[in-house]
Amino acid sequence: MARPRLLPAVVRSLLGRPSTVQYPYVKTEVEAAYRGRHYADLKKCTGCSLCAIECPADAIAMTQIPAHLEAPKSNPRRVYPKIDYGRCVFCYRCVTVCPFDAYVTTNFYGMAGPRENTSEQLSLGTLERVV
Amino acid sequence: MTATLAQAGGFVKPNRRVFTLEPSRVRSVFLDLVRERGQEGFYVSTIVGVDLKEEGLIRVDYFVVLLPEEETVVLRTAVPRDNPVLDSIVDIVPGALSGELETHDLLGVLFQGNPYLRRGFFVPSDVAEKGVYPLRRG
Amino acid sequence: MVDKVVELPVTIEIPVGPQHPALHEPVLLKAYVDGETVVKVEVNTGYNHRGIEKLCEQNTFYKDIFIIGRVCGICNTVHTDVYVRALEQILGLEPNRRAKYLRVVAMELERIHSHMLINAVMAEVVGFDTLFMSIMLDREKVMKAKEILTGARVMADYMMVGGVRRDLSDADAGRIAKLVEQVRERLTYYKRVFEEDTTITKRLMGVGVLKRVDAVRHTLLGPVARGSGVRIDARVSDRYDAYDELQPEVVVRGEGDSWARMMVRWDEALVSAEIVLSALSKLPRDGSPVPDERKLPRKFPPGEAYTRVEAPRGELTYYVMSDGKANPYRVKIRTPSFTNIVNSAFLYEGYTIADLPVILASLDPCISCMERAVITDLRTGERRTVPFTQLSRGDKAWRGRGFYLL
Ligand code: SF4
Ligand code: SF4
């Protein structure tokens, strides 16, 4: 009967390397345009809260910029969007609705971990300290 | 089949013809459909219940797909909100079963003559026990 | 001395599920068996409710696009496409040709990987795990193509009112075409395996035979109906998006058994591969397919729309009603799995217990799709927890639920 049709494939798999990617020891290849971790560039952000209003997963909380950092003049209320990556579904709605194109997008996806994971450090890192 | 119905209500976009009928005539219309188009001439795609709170009505739309041309038509009827009772059509068109079960569980429309009707088909038991119909407008 | 034995016909109730009856999703088939033979099946649902229709009424039209994408992971682009087209109908908006073509590419890629998935699961159900692994490995190529196109393997979030959310460069179009060509070759191979392999044919042929008239009367849709000779395809009859130019060939078979349904899926996957390739080769260039989401209309006029799409599992319909406010007044989702699972209990009668998962898998049940319908009380946020001891005692409240603790 025709059963041996699969045999060559089976033999090939037995002799070849496993197809499974040994994540996290080996990184999975993703596209450069993959929708990964994103954060607001606070040099551009005006604190308008539009992204927080539009976020379907309610992952964005508008948060005060700490006093030791210099916020741009265009952000009088000194607030910035803090994304909780644990809630975020990476739809990028925030990226597309921001009127000032403030979001920086990356294809970073390795965000699993025991600690709270937010965009705080990444976003605040875009600002300079008050001298 | 269209001759037996007064056309009213125009269209649901995009170009789905709407036929409005009295709740008491639902059964006879489906019997007519079976007689004129045969068992394989149409299927009930879905039953959509909408709670129109302001009018005090629950609107029940039967979306019927006519075969073989696959044209969707809407048979629209409405029942009063405080006494939403309709005749079941599962014995004529068994495909209406899922739609009737869902509309009963979520909106509380009672389809008379459907033996499978029960609460908790979709809704969790705690909600069902309180007699809450989730898709009713508050 | 016993010289007479009285045999009582005993019907035993066997629960199949709710843990992974076929696909790895929860549904309970309560099968009543007489010996080996199934005499009656009750479909018990309610394990996967998330209240999406209600949720849609409480969120804005645009947020709903992303909520609806999460009705089902496997077919998220068709869900968003049909919803977005309903919104476009209400608004009177029309996307450009390029956007329509790209939508078709995304949806057909999805059809290929969905059909590969269920055929692989079918192989697993009949105990042919090698074939399962092999198909899943090739399916990864389609997922990669989807990632190139939409930016994520599964959750595409690709459709937007007035177009799609990202454009496709020519280089990437070439890469997708190459992947699809590789996959097409494999699809032809797997189709032959399903045709010729004795393990498959012995388990599937003549199992769960569905007559044409029953398929229509019970509103069974998609490959299930087409496997029984019903020529229905929303792509051909509604000609939405770019299907007016990219006419698909409708695959119909007459056998009506589980095997025919699986073969329809292989053939459809091949047709889809053709459509993807031809769409990519003649992508129109009439401007950007990506609408500026900041400039889309904020207000929706009152109106109603009912759109259909041919999802991998059959006709998927959305009814959207707007009353002019910020949120939709009603969103009604009717997925093909909903009717295919709930209305198909009659299909199991007369077959054996071992055939039960085969028939269920041949219907391509997508439980999440089906059970989107509801319901925690979102207004009061009420939820109840039940201690495990109470559960095991078969508490009255739980018994009222009508399933496995009966
Ligand atoms: S990607 Fe989507 S879910 Fe995540 S923060 Fe932005 S809008 Fe919210
Ligand atoms: S929408 Fe843009 S500018 Fe406004 S708060 Fe968000 S990131 Fe800042």
Side-chain angles (χ1 to χ4, degrees):
Chain A
M1 288 296 279
R3 194 179 312 206
R5 202 178 272 296
L6 268 174
L7 264 185
V10 172
V11 173
R12 229 178 303 128
S13 309
L14 273 177
L15 299 178
R17 291 225 322 271
S19 310
T20 317
V21 179
Q22 297 293 332
Y23 186 80
Y25 308 108
V26 183
K27 283 262 175 245
T28 315
E29 296 277 332
V30 290
E31 293 299 303
Y34 181 83
R35 291 197 309 267
R37 185 168 70 187
H38 58 298
Y39 56 93
D41 177 351
L42 300 194
K43 288 238 165 63
K44 291 188 194 161
C45 172
T46 62
C48 71
S49 319
L50 200 67
C51 53
I53 294 166
E54 281 293 327
C55 172
D58 212 359
I60 302 179
M62 297 308 290
T63 315
Q64 280 296 320
I65 299 176
H68 68 272
L69 292 173
E70 197 172 5
K73 292 233 166 22
S74 56
N75 191 348
R77 284 182 296 149
R78 292 180 62 89
V79 287
Y80 78 99
K82 182 160 112 182
I83 304 163
D84 178 354
Y85 295 122
R87 282 193 76 104
C88 173
V89 296
F90 299 95
C91 61
Y92 274 22
R93 176 75 175 155
C94 50
V95 179
T96 46
V97 294
C98 173
F100 303 96
D101 288 322
Y103 274 97
V104 182
T105 61
T106 70
N107 68 352
F108 181 78
Y109 60 87
M111 277 165 287
R115 265 167 284 119
E116 193 194 33
N117 196 349
T118 67
S119 69
E120 184 176 346
Q121 289 200 337
L122 286 166
S123 272
L124 295 182
T126 57
L127 290 181
E128 265 117 62
R129 289 178 155 270
V130 186
V131 273
Chain B
M1 151 256 166
T2 49
T4 56
L5 295 166
Q7 181 166 359
F11 294 91
V12 172
K13 288 174 189 170
N15 59 47
R16 323 272 185 208
R17 281 184 289 162
V18 179
F19 301 93
T20 314
L21 49 137
E22 287 296 309
S24 55
R25 294 206 37 231
V26 169
R27 269 186 78 84
S28 66
V29 166
F30 277 98
L31 282 171
D32 284 352
L33 263 173
V34 174
R35 197 167 48 240
E36 283 179 33
R37 302 194 67 102
Q39 297 274 25
E40 298 183 20
F42 72 98
Y43 66 86
V44 177
S45 179
T46 181
I47 300 174
V48 180
V50 184
D51 183 11
L52 302 170
K53 197 174 171 225
E54 261 133 58
E55 284 111 279
L57 293 171
I58 291 181
R59 198 180 67 199
V60 181
D61 298 343
Y62 295 79
F63 285 83
V64 177
V65 177
L66 306 176
L67 296 175
E69 64 270 26
E70 267 194 270
E71 188 197 344
T72 308
V73 295
V74 190
L75 303 179
R76 176 162 285 180
T77 185
V79 287
R81 215 165 166 256
D82 39 24
N83 181 28
V85 182
L86 260 177
D87 288 328
S88 168
I89 55 163
V90 278
D91 50 332
I92 311 169
V93 195
L97 173 69
S98 52
E100 288 191 358
L101 288 178
E102 193 187 15
T103 315
H104 173 68
D105 206 13
L106 303 187
L107 274 154
V109 179
L110 189 65
F111 292 91
Q112 260 170 353
N114 182 341
Y116 306 100
L117 230 51
R118 64 182 165 91
R119 284 313 304 280
F121 172 70
F122 269 152
V123 178
S125 56
D126 52 341
V127 180
E129 270 159 25
K130 274 187 281 163
V132 176
Y133 294 105
L135 284 185
R136 290 256 182 119
R137 293 263 151 175
Chain C
M1 288 279 108
V2 182
D3 58 351
K4 271 193 195 120
V5 179
V6 180
E7 265 188 28
L8 291 174
V10 181
T11 312
I12 299 174
E13 181 190 315
I14 295 185
V16 181
Q19 304 292 345
H20 309 172
L23 276 181
H24 295 185
E25 285 187 285
V27 70
L28 171 63
L29 298 181
K30 225 192 263 168
Y32 296 89
V33 292
D34 179 3
E36 264 281 286
T37 318
V38 178
V39 288
K40 183 169 166 262
V41 167
E42 266 175 36
V43 182
N44 271 271
T45 54
Y47 299 94
N48 219 350
H49 282 297
R50 289 158 292 159
I52 287 191
E53 285 180 8
K54 191 82 185 168
L55 203 57
C56 287
E57 289 175 12
Q58 289 160 340
N59 281 285
T60 61
F61 284 96
Y62 289 105
K63 276 190 194 179
D64 286 348
I65 298 175
F66 303 99
I67 295 170
I68 272 160
R70 277 136 190 101
V71 167
C72 173
I74 298 281
C75 39
N76 64 82
T77 61
V78 286
H79 273 273
T80 41
D81 176 78
V82 64
Y83 175 68
V84 156
R85 276 193 296 117
L87 297 191
E88 282 165 2
Q89 293 287 346
I90 291 175
L91 285 169
L93 246 158
E94 178 100 355
N96 68 9
R97 297 293 315 163
R98 189 176 174 84
K100 289 182 169 181
Y101 267 71
L102 287 173
R103 282 182 182 180
V104 166
V105 172
M107 287 191 286
E108 293 301 331
L109 284 176
E110 195 166 82
R111 190 182 319 278
I112 299 175
H113 86 66
S114 170
H115 282 350
M116 287 179 90
L117 174 75
I118 191 61
N119 278 321
V121 168
M122 180 55 106
E124 195 198 15
V125 164
V126 302
F128 200 162
D129 280 48
T130 314
L131 185 57
F132 166 76
M133 288 294 178
S134 185
I135 298 177
M136 289 308 264
L137 181 59
D138 286 316
R139 179 173 172 266
E140 234 16 68
K141 294 199 184 88
V142 193
M143 305 312 281
K144 186 74 192 174
K146 243 187 118 187
E147 184 189 323
I148 296 171
L149 179 67
T150 68
R153 286 173 77 247
V154 178
M155 274 304 155
D157 288 330
Y158 191 55
M159 310 294 177
M160 184 39 72
V161 175
V164 294
R165 297 185 73 216
R166 56 165 73 194
D167 202 355
L168 185 69
S169 72
D170 285 345
D172 283 344
R175 286 171 66 205
I176 294 177
K178 221 163 127 204
L179 281 166
V180 172
E181 262 159 27
Q182 287 169 13
V183 170
R184 184 172 57 175
E185 217 171 279
R186 300 298 294 166
L187 288 173
T188 330
Y189 167 72
Y190 289 127
K191 189 189 156 196
R192 267 213 325 267
V193 172
F194 265 65
E195 265 169 358
E196 294 173 1
D197 192 274
T198 38
T199 317
I200 301 277
T201 49
K202 271 195 177 148
R203 283 300 303 276
L204 301 191
M205 278 188 175
V207 172
V209 178
L210 172 67
K211 288 206 285 297
R212 188 177 192 279
V213 58
D214 285 334
V216 178
R217 288 181 70 218
H218 288 86
T219 318
L220 303 184
L221 302 161
V224 181
R226 289 194 284 272
S228 294
V230 189
R231 187 174 291 273
I232 45 168
D233 194 328
R235 290 177 291 175
V236 177
S237 57
D238 266 29
R239 296 171 164 237
Y240 54 91
D241 289 337
Y243 288 115
D244 45 356
E245 283 167 25
L246 301 162
Q247 290 247 0
E249 176 199 339
V250 185
V251 184
V252 180
R253 289 188 87 97
E255 293 95 333
D257 54 2
S258 300
W259 182 77
R261 298 194 267 278
M262 301 330 268
M263 291 314 287
V264 165
R265 294 199 175 98
W266 283 128
D267 282 324
E268 272 178 18
L270 282 165
V271 172
S272 295
E274 289 305 323
I275 297 177
V276 171
L277 291 175
S278 83
L280 287 175
S281 68
K282 52 182 182 196
L283 268 186
R285 294 176 196 282
D286 55 347
S288 164
V290 186
D292 189 343
E293 287 178 35
R294 292 165 285 205
K295 300 207 182 86
L296 285 175
R298 295 258 131 217
K299 276 197 72 73
F300 281 75
E304 49 183 355
Y306 177 82
T307 42
R308 305 160 73 218
V309 72
E310 190 67 20
R313 288 163 182 77
E315 176 207 40
L316 163 68
T317 71
Y318 268 63
Y319 172 81
V320 182
M321 181 177 166
S322 157
D323 62 347
K325 300 217 180 73
N327 301 349
Y329 188 82
R330 177 86 165 95
V331 178
K332 165 82 175 103
I333 311 168
R334 206 276 287 126
T335 60
S337 297
F338 183 53
T339 59
N340 279 358
I341 298 173
V342 178
N343 292 352
S344 65
F346 71 95
L347 205 53
Y348 305 93
E349 284 159 27
Y351 295 95
T352 61
I353 302 171
D355 289 336
L356 228 136
V358 171
I359 300 175
L360 180 63
S362 79
L363 300 175
D364 199 353
C366 178
I367 311 299
S368 309
C369 252
M370 173 185 96
E371 291 202 17
R372 82 249 100 71
V374 167
I375 301 319
T376 44
D377 196 340
L378 290 164
R379 254 176 310 118
T380 56
E382 180 158 2
R383 247 193 218 143
R384 238 185 62 184
T385 46
V386 178
F388 200 69
T389 46
Q390 204 177 342
L391 258 179
S392 58
R393 256 188 278 124
D395 177 56
K396 200 163 97 267
W398 282 81
R399 206 176 300 144
R401 200 163 180 166
F403 45 73
Y404 64 110
L405 287 172
L406 272 177

